[in-house]
Amino acid sequence: MIKDYQTIAAISTPPGEGGIGIIRISGSQALAIALKVLQIPGLRGKTPKVRRVYHGYVVDQSKKEKVDEVIFFYFKNPNSYTGEDVAEIQTHGGIAVLRKTLELILAAGAVLAEAGEFTKRAFLNGRLDLTQAEAVMDLIQANSEEGAKQAMLQLDGALGRFVRKTLSRILNLIASIEVSLDFPEDYDPLDREALLAVLAELEAELRELLSTFKQGNLVRQGLKTVIVGRPNVGKSTLLNSLLGEDRAIVTATAGTTRDVLEEYYNLEGITLRLVDTAGLRQSQDEIEMMGIARTRSAIDTADLILWVVDAEEDLQDEDRELASLIKDKPYIPVINKTDLRHGQKIAADLKDLDLNREPVMIAAAPGQGLDDLRQAISQLVFAGKALAKNTPILTKTRHQQSVSQAMEQIAACQQAVAAYLPEDCYVIHLKDAYEALASLVGEGSYDEIIENIFAQFCVGK
Amino acid sequence: MSNNYDVIVVGAGHAGSEAALAAARMGAKTLVLTISLDFIAQLPCNPAMGGPAKSHLIREIDALGGEIGKASDACAIQMRKLNTSKGPAVQSLRAQIDRVLYLRYMKRVLEDQENLDLKQGMVEKILFDGDEVSGVETELGLIYQAPKVILATGTFLNGKLIIGEYTEITGPDGMKPSLALSDNLHELKLPLRRFKTGTPARVAGKSLDFSKMIEQKSWEEPLRFSFEGEYPSLPTRSCWLTYTSEKTHQIIRDNIDRAPMFIGGIEGPGPRYCPSIEDKIMRFADKERHQLFLEPTGLETDEYYVQGMATSLPIDVQMEFYRSIPGLENVEIMRPGCAMEYDCLDPTELTYELEIKSFKGLYSAGQLNGTSGYEEAAAQGMMAGINAVLALRDQEPFHLTRSQAYIGVLIDDLITKGTNEPYRLMTARSEYRLLLRQDNADRRLTEFGYRLGLISEERYQRFKNKMVIVDKQLQRLEKTFLPPSAELNQALIAANTTPLEHGASLTSLLRRPQLDISFLRRFDSELDALPLDILEQIEIETIYAGYIRQQSEQVERQRRMESALLPEKAKYEEMRGISREAAEKLDKIKPRNIGQASRISGVSPADISVLTIWLEQQKRKRRAN
């Protein structure tokens, strides 16, 4: 889809946790769209002044709910980075809030910017000089190639399969309507009830897919998986073994891991955000104290906990303390260093704690028992959750936007059918739905509809 | 008499006739050369005009001042409205045409046209002065000079008829083929390709048992293509519907090894939307039966056209399978079905004006450009004729965009995307279908026709008045409120919709799915006094306002892309950041603007972004100099 002349929006801070996030909106509707998602007490219904900083809230109007406290300002064309009207919203609440805000902005009428699009507009509007033209061209082509590569990766999975299947179903619907319109003497119109049934099914499926995005914050950012345990039980070694690389600093000195380290690990399609924590130990060391405080907060926000104990040692008070901290969380007890000692003693101690969880025996350093651990994690994550391995999951805002557009169009089509509007109106919605989804997989063009008519239907003269 | 003309049209089929009429009516001294004066605007295939998209084209040509609509109305022996319940955008007219009357009518119109000479002669050579056209030479060695030549040779170029193993080099309906001209085009290094078309048999009406078929009558309601002129007045004839039997399929399957397409007798691809019956049976093996229509070909003849049963199987197989169809048990074939193969051009060699890119002044229209259908041919002929004259006068060319007309869709598709098979227009090919309706073709195009000198002052004033009334009524409908009278509420309940508590505007009532304009006419005397065509437009514009507005917004965005012009001399191969495939395509097609470029297959949105930046870069460089 060519996005020129439309109002675009994107997150313009690099992805990462915490700090300020910035969303830029550029185009003739920038201000109007921003005001749709904002509540700015200082304005009292007036138009905001150019280049003036306002304090306000991003509000989800559908739920009458404040999403975040934000700073807002806007620039009038041509005096902005892109040379168009530009609105900027700064959020504070981390990536989830940032994405939610972007979703609201897109729902309010902006389209997601392509990579390099702000720069492209800046050039076209004379905000960048001639020497930068070629750099911009290179950037666009490079981004497009990268995007294509990403799409290819994405499309091999469950989501790609789902989208392709849905596209072909929509295409068949369009073709069967079109053929009855263009060859009325050869083909009867589609049965209304049958059409409504298929549309309802499509809408339900798309809605379901969308819900994986809304509830799937966890999956989107990775399940926050915290590795806890007393100092030097081998937490970092475990992390490294899982990742297969030396990521955290590992020494034999207790308390080496001062900071919370995060690594991403893909377990059968679900991303685990592995967090290695400083050992939980009473300490006077101030720097380490900070690390321990973070560990506690890491546990609080964890989606999954791997609790590591040492096979060479007995269960200690600190372990018991940890056990009580994590007892209401999904966790897996992991007995490490079983290559040095078989760990039966500590396994029995764990049993005495009445945890009701089967510990996994591993030896992280030589990499033994990791498959068992993977399996245990997989069972804990997938069991009882809808996120089965082959279920498509939406993880990107761009995808969410496409699917959401497609669903709206399918719903609008249902309304058109229900309101007894004629068939040619249905096709308008179905084509829009088709295009929205097709953009997601980067394939599918209008010509395919024509091809499909010929391939499927015997039309004669 | 001088042999100098402004415009020479080669061929007098549907493309040639409209081209010549447009040129002559615009005041250019025009010559039409045809192989046979007895076959002007011949209908060698089905004896029908119209249908979805095609009927739209006829109306558009008519609104521009062309002849096909009036000719069809004058020669129609049946008129039907199709898709009446499927929405305004796809509603269309379909007419059965008396073939003999049609060619007589069109011949007379050409003969009577001022500035136009109609002559029999086979053009064998196109003459040049350097790269520019200077005239043509006929088989008798006669030379006619003109700076603009429009080729509208239909299926005559190297035409070959195929029935089973029998082949014959010929034009359609036994006319002479055009062979030397095909060689001449080869010499000019114009890449020619082979396309195929097919027709069914014509059979004797007296040998048909109509009692076994379903009758399709002409509509009682007066219907016409043209926005001016008379309603059809000829006696009407019915069409007859029947279906193939299992035996038909068996006979064809048993003899499929004798079909030219299987024994390799046909080189060119045939159109998928009008496949031969053998093609249908092989490709759609699970379809139990295929429908066919027996269509009358004229008032003074007993020949019927077997629509839906095109074939090039050997004559003995044809006789056998036609007789396996209910109602055709004793059928006598008068003319066998056959395939026709012919040379045509790759339309991506053409400009928007239908001028061949490599030769100034040489235009091409109709089946020669790889299309099929009388209406598609006529539309191209008209546009080529108009643009030849405009070029002659150094005036701005006349284009129609995809959002203005199906003519625009047709030409843009052809020259931008090309075609690998005979191209047929369908409403599905338009992205703005709700804007390109047949009811508003006059609104969309009459103004252009008038400015080109193709629409009379009188017709133009009548058109203006109609538009004033439509616009006024649309406004009035919004402002006029009906009070909740007992009579109205009773009628509303009877129509299964809720009665009024307060007054409601006529617009809001019309938008109720249960109501239509004839309902409103009972309660509004002003509406009641209006003619049907005006009421139709008011109704459509009101009911589909939301959709129409949405499409208009898309058009506006597209328009901005179309107005970003690309220079003819742009060297895409050397351009940085454009993919290789895109550069090759762009160099070949040489799109006029960014919008057209975006429709070329293989050109991605990223390529378009790069082109946009390149354009800006060039602009600034020019400014800096």
Side-chain angles (χ1 to χ4, degrees):
Chain A
M1 187 171 63
I2 308 295
K3 294 182 173 170
D4 294 21
Y5 322 117
Q6 300 193 51
T7 297
I8 49 170
I11 296 173
S12 64
T13 37
E17 197 73 26
I20 292 170
I22 298 171
I23 291 176
R24 283 209 182 103
I25 314 170
S26 177
S28 60
Q29 299 303 306
L31 180 61
I33 289 171
L35 291 179
K36 273 193 209 170
V37 305
L38 290 173
Q39 201 177 76
I40 301 167
L43 272 183
R44 287 181 210 92
K46 285 194 208 118
T47 311
K49 292 201 175 91
V50 174
R51 290 168 183 274
R52 168 120 170 239
V53 179
Y54 292 91
H55 168 261
Y57 303 91
V58 170
V59 180
D60 184 346
Q61 299 290 0
S62 65
K63 293 179 195 143
K64 305 261 175 264
E65 169 182 290
K66 282 182 184 165
V67 174
D68 196 15
E69 195 177 339
V70 296
I71 299 287
F72 163 78
F73 45 95
Y74 96 103
F75 305 94
K76 188 108 190 80
N77 78 76
N79 301 314
S80 73
Y81 171 63
T82 59
E84 303 176 320
D85 287 359
V86 170
E88 190 164 318
I89 298 173
Q90 296 188 354
T91 66
H92 299 89
I95 187 76
V97 161
L98 199 55
R99 290 207 198 205
K100 177 75 200 168
T101 305
L102 180 61
E103 260 174 63
L104 292 172
I105 289 167
L106 297 177
V111 296
L112 197 60
E114 299 293 336
E117 196 157 351
F118 283 92
T119 318
K120 175 184 140 191
R121 291 188 180 198
F123 178 78
L124 290 179
N125 292 317
R127 304 297 293 176
L128 297 177
D129 70 45
L130 201 48
T131 58
Q132 285 157 295
E134 290 186 345
V136 180
M137 287 177 178
D138 289 347
L139 174 77
I140 290 169
Q141 202 52 255
N143 278 328
S144 146
E145 281 161 24
E146 181 58 31
K149 246 186 262 169
Q150 294 280 343
M152 287 291 287
L153 288 175
Q154 207 38 257
L155 287 173
D156 283 338
L159 179 62
R161 282 195 299 276
F162 173 83
V163 169
R164 285 209 189 86
K165 200 178 107 213
T166 310
L167 275 176
S168 98
R169 289 174 70 188
I170 297 175
L171 198 61
N172 288 344
L173 273 187
I174 295 175
S176 55
I177 295 174
E178 292 285 24
V179 78
S180 84
L181 297 179
D182 270 311
F183 302 91
E185 289 166 320
D186 298 280
Y187 282 89
D188 293 330
L190 219 61
D191 175 44
R192 283 171 44 86
E193 297 307 315
L195 177 60
L196 277 174
V198 179
L199 289 173
E201 207 176 288
L202 281 172
E203 195 201 336
E205 283 179 22
L206 291 170
R207 194 176 292 283
E208 165 109 29
L209 179 61
L210 274 179
S211 74
T212 65
F213 183 81
K214 282 179 183 148
Q215 66 182 213
N217 242 331
L218 297 176
V219 183
R220 186 152 74 245
Q221 293 167 47
L223 283 169
K224 188 170 178 186
T225 306
V226 179
I227 305 176
V228 299
R230 284 188 297 108
N232 219 22
V233 292
K235 299 186 294 296
S236 301
T237 317
L238 171 59
L239 178 78
N240 290 335
S241 299
L242 282 173
L243 295 170
E245 276 174 63
D246 281 343
R247 288 292 169 94
I249 316 147
V250 191
T251 65
T253 318
T256 316
T257 311
R258 299 269 166 94
D259 216 341
V260 177
L261 292 176
E262 275 191 23
E263 290 295 344
Y264 289 83
Y265 176 64
N266 194 307
L267 184 90
E268 299 181 38
I270 286 211
T271 304
L272 301 184
R273 192 149 50 90
L274 290 167
V275 181
D276 180 22
T277 59
L280 196 73
R281 187 181 59 136
Q282 307 301 332
S283 170
Q284 300 306 312
D285 185 329
E286 258 183 54
I287 298 165
E288 207 170 83
M289 281 298 287
M290 276 175 61
I292 290 164
R294 285 199 188 179
T295 300
R296 288 179 192 276
S297 96
I299 289 172
D300 284 344
T301 57
D303 304 309
L304 170 69
I305 293 161
L306 302 179
W307 171 33
V308 186
V309 294
D310 191 337
E312 287 188 304
E313 295 175 25
D314 292 345
L315 211 57
Q316 321 241 328
D317 286 348
E318 284 135 309
D319 289 320
R320 293 195 174 81
E321 192 183 328
L322 251 175
S324 70
L325 272 177
I326 64 177
K327 68 178 187 330
D328 296 328
K329 290 268 172 186
Y331 72 95
I332 298 169
V334 180
I335 303 176
N336 190 21
K337 305 187 191 174
T338 52
D339 53 332
L340 304 176
R341 202 172 154 186
H342 53 68
Q344 294 305 331
K345 171 77 174 69
I346 197 154
D349 286 353
L350 284 176
K351 213 165 198 157
D352 289 346
L353 279 178
D354 205 16
L355 297 169
N356 209 10
R357 308 226 179 189
E358 200 55 45
V360 180
M361 317 284 265
I362 64 162
Q368 292 161 7
L370 292 179
D371 281 342
D372 292 344
L373 178 60
R374 283 192 194 104
Q375 212 169 358
I377 295 173
S378 164
Q379 262 168 20
L380 190 71
V381 173
F382 292 125
K385 293 204 179 197
L387 304 173
K389 202 174 150 190
N390 286 319
T391 306
I393 296 163
L394 281 181
T395 55
K396 294 208 157 88
T397 308
R398 186 179 301 279
H399 296 174
Q400 189 262 354
Q401 192 194 17
S402 298
V403 175
S404 154
Q405 269 171 11
M407 196 197 70
E408 279 164 24
Q409 290 301 327
I410 298 283
C413 186
Q414 277 175 289
Q415 282 168 15
V417 179
Y420 288 88
L421 287 175
E423 277 100 328
D424 61 2
C425 296
Y426 312 166
V427 177
I428 294 176
H429 297 296
L430 290 175
K431 268 185 205 159
D432 285 350
Y434 180 82
E435 270 170 23
L437 272 189
S439 77
L440 196 155
V441 293
E443 52 192 64
S445 71
Y446 193 61
D447 296 337
E448 281 181 33
I449 294 173
I450 306 285
E451 288 296 310
N452 202 277
I453 293 176
F454 290 136
Q456 278 197 43
F457 296 94
C458 175
V459 280
K461 70 168 179 183
Chain B
M1 198 181 135
S2 150
N3 279 352
N4 287 324
Y5 289 90
D6 292 329
V7 176
I8 295 171
V9 180
V10 183
H14 302 282
S17 301
E18 293 291 358
L21 287 172
R25 285 169 180 171
M26 286 171 76
K29 191 165 175 253
T30 305
L31 169 68
V32 181
L33 286 166
T34 172
I35 285 176
S36 170
L37 275 178
D38 292 328
F39 292 96
I40 305 296
Q42 156 83 325
L43 290 87
C45 205
N46 51 335
M49 285 282 182
K54 289 165 171 279
S55 148
H56 294 67
L57 278 180
I58 295 176
R59 283 260 171 109
E60 290 178 357
I61 296 167
D62 183 73
L64 288 171
E67 199 61 36
I68 190 171
K70 284 179 213 162
S72 299
D73 289 340
C75 306
I77 53 173
Q78 184 193 100
M79 268 285 186
R80 295 170 60 80
K81 219 176 191 179
L82 305 178
N83 283 342
T84 47
S85 63
K86 294 179 192 166
V90 291
Q91 274 179 22
S92 50
L93 296 178
R94 189 181 185 282
Q96 290 302 135
I97 303 290
D98 185 312
R99 299 168 75 216
V100 174
L101 290 182
Y102 195 91
L103 56 90
R104 272 195 218 148
Y105 174 101
M106 204 53 115
K107 186 179 181 209
R108 188 77 218 199
V109 169
L110 289 178
E111 287 169 349
D112 290 350
Q113 179 60 48
E114 208 184 326
N115 302 324
L116 193 153
D117 288 340
L118 179 63
K119 291 174 193 281
Q120 188 160 297
M122 166 127 46
V123 170
E124 300 212 320
K125 204 170 170 196
I126 301 158
L127 305 174
F128 289 93
D129 185 0
D131 270 352
E132 288 191 32
V133 154
S134 63
V136 298
E137 188 179 332
T138 70
E139 84 278 30
L140 298 177
L142 277 174
I143 288 177
Y144 296 99
Q145 285 173 326
K148 305 291 168 195
V149 171
I150 300 171
L151 299 176
T153 55
T155 61
F156 280 78
L157 281 188
N158 237 337
K160 182 179 165 192
L161 171 139
I162 304 152
I163 303 171
E165 283 170 26
Y166 177 80
T167 63
E168 184 189 346
I169 302 298
T170 177
D173 281 327
M175 282 183 273
K176 282 187 278 185
S178 177
L179 305 178
L181 184 56
S182 178
D183 293 341
N184 184 228
L185 294 179
H186 271 294
E187 281 159 26
L188 294 174
K189 303 235 162 14
L190 283 171
L192 294 177
R193 357 185 243 169
R194 296 293 277 173
F195 270 12
K196 182 216 116 179
T197 180
T199 65
R202 315 303 143 90
V203 300
K206 64 184 175 192
S207 67
L208 297 170
D209 181 357
F210 290 120
S211 69
K212 292 181 179 166
M213 307 182 203
I214 300 159
E215 184 173 12
Q216 243 188 12
K217 284 187 181 172
S218 189
W219 278 33
E220 300 279 335
E221 179 189 331
L223 300 168
R224 64 175 180 187
F225 286 109
S226 178
F227 289 102
E228 66 170 356
E230 305 296 321
Y231 279 96
S233 58
L234 293 176
T236 63
R237 292 281 185 274
S238 296
C239 290
W240 300 86
L241 168 66
T242 179
Y243 295 89
T244 56
S245 67
E246 177 43 39
K247 199 174 158 207
T248 319
H249 295 208
Q250 194 56 48
I251 294 165
I252 289 168
R253 275 196 297 269
D254 288 348
N255 289 285
I256 199 69
D257 55 335
R258 297 177 64 200
M261 65 177 181
F262 291 98
I263 58 178
I266 294 175
E267 302 164 47
R272 278 174 299 176
Y273 50 78
C274 71
S276 60
I277 186 65
E278 51 267 29
D279 203 5
K280 289 185 194 176
I281 284 169
M282 299 314 282
R283 276 182 54 212
F284 299 96
D286 53 341
K287 207 167 163 170
E288 280 167 23
R289 56 178 201 174
H290 295 273
Q291 67 175 19
L292 55 131
F293 288 96
L294 277 300
E295 299 184 355
T297 63
L299 295 175
E300 301 299 328
T301 172
D302 195 34
E303 261 189 279
Y304 275 78
Y305 176 92
V306 193
Q307 197 245 64
M309 294 292 284
T311 182
S312 56
L313 282 164
I315 185 68
D316 58 302
V317 184
Q318 291 193 22
M319 291 200 304
E320 203 186 339
F321 81 68
Y322 278 125
R323 289 193 167 191
S324 69
I325 297 166
L328 280 73
E329 290 86 350
N330 299 306
V331 73
E332 291 297 340
I333 292 177
M334 294 176 74
R335 306 182 208 203
C338 65
M340 275 293 293
E341 214 178 58
Y342 53 96
D343 286 348
C344 59
L345 291 169
D346 175 355
T348 61
E349 300 289 331
L350 305 173
T351 66
Y352 267 115
E353 296 77 38
L354 300 179
E355 190 173 19
I356 295 170
K357 283 173 194 164
S358 41
F359 297 105
K360 197 155 180 266
L362 185 58
Y363 295 77
S364 166
Q367 245 166 325
L368 177 59
N369 290 345
T371 58
S372 103
Y374 314 133
E375 303 85 347
E376 285 89 340
Q380 292 171 63
M382 172 141 219
M383 294 302 277
I386 291 171
N387 277 302
V389 176
L390 291 174
L392 201 66
R393 296 176 182 160
D394 278 326
Q395 288 175 350
E396 281 290 300
F398 175 57
H399 297 159
L400 289 168
T401 64
R402 300 182 70 89
S403 57
Q404 284 172 326
Y406 275 100
I407 298 175
V409 174
L410 167 72
I411 292 176
D412 185 64
D413 272 356
L414 286 175
I415 68 163
T416 308
K417 296 175 185 165
T419 181
N420 293 320
E421 62 180 333
Y423 175 101
R424 175 194 164 135
L425 193 64
M426 299 187 286
T427 66
R429 295 195 195 267
S430 163
E431 45 290 65
Y432 313 113
R433 187 157 60 190
L434 223 46
L435 303 180
L436 306 185
R437 306 186 310 269
Q438 60 159 22
D439 71 89
N440 70 358
D442 57 342
R443 181 168 213 144
R444 291 183 277 123
L445 301 174
T446 307
E447 185 77 41
F448 293 121
Y450 175 70
R451 274 193 250 149
L452 288 164
L454 293 168
I455 293 286
S456 69
E457 186 65 41
E458 185 259 320
R459 176 173 175 180
Y460 182 63
Q461 286 312 326
R462 208 155 14 90
F463 158 77
K464 291 289 261 191
N465 289 340
K466 177 180 168 187
M467 291 309 123
V468 168
I469 297 173
V470 171
D471 290 339
K472 253 195 199 153
Q473 289 296 328
L474 282 172
Q475 287 174 15
R476 189 185 68 87
L477 254 50
E478 280 190 39
K479 287 184 215 140
T480 307
F481 285 73
L482 287 187
S485 70
E487 192 199 351
L488 175 61
N489 277 344
Q490 222 163 22
L492 287 172
I493 292 165
N496 282 322
T497 178
T498 48
L500 297 181
E501 285 180 26
H502 313 284
S505 72
L506 289 168
T507 301
S508 71
L509 287 171
L510 190 50
R511 287 199 180 134
R512 292 192 181 188
Q514 300 87 349
L515 305 180
D516 59 14
I517 198 128
S518 52
F519 180 96
L520 290 196
R521 289 178 82 187
R522 287 158 55 190
F523 298 92
D524 184 81
S525 57
E526 222 174 293
L527 277 182
D528 199 34
L530 292 172
L532 287 173
D533 58 337
I534 288 183
L535 288 173
E536 184 186 21
Q537 276 202 17
I538 292 172
E539 184 171 33
I540 293 169
E541 295 280 343
T542 305
I543 299 179
Y544 304 102
Y547 285 99
I548 290 170
R549 195 168 45 241
Q550 198 185 327
Q551 294 213 326
S552 303
E553 283 165 13
Q554 286 169 10
V555 169
E556 180 54 24
R557 277 206 293 276
Q558 192 62 28
R559 195 187 59 74
R560 295 169 73 167
M561 284 176 66
E562 309 280 332
S563 61
L565 301 181
L566 289 163
E568 207 179 321
K569 293 194 177 84
K571 289 200 171 61
Y572 298 99
E573 302 270 11
E574 293 168 14
M575 219 175 270
R576 190 175 175 139
I578 289 209
S579 73
R580 193 181 196 60
E581 189 197 351
E584 276 171 20
K585 293 268 180 64
L586 289 163
D587 266 328
K588 180 171 160 46
I589 308 284
K590 297 201 185 346
R592 288 275 168 87
N593 55 58
I594 296 274
Q596 190 194 356
S598 73
R599 290 189 293 272
I600 299 173
S601 76
V603 176
S604 70
D607 294 318
I608 293 300
S609 286
V610 171
L611 273 184
T612 315
I613 290 178
W614 178 83
L615 263 186
E616 173 68 20
Q617 190 187 22
Q618 299 306 308
K619 204 164 83 190
R620 285 201 215 166
K621 276 183 184 161
R622 268 198 312 277
R623 219 183 294 143
N625 293 336

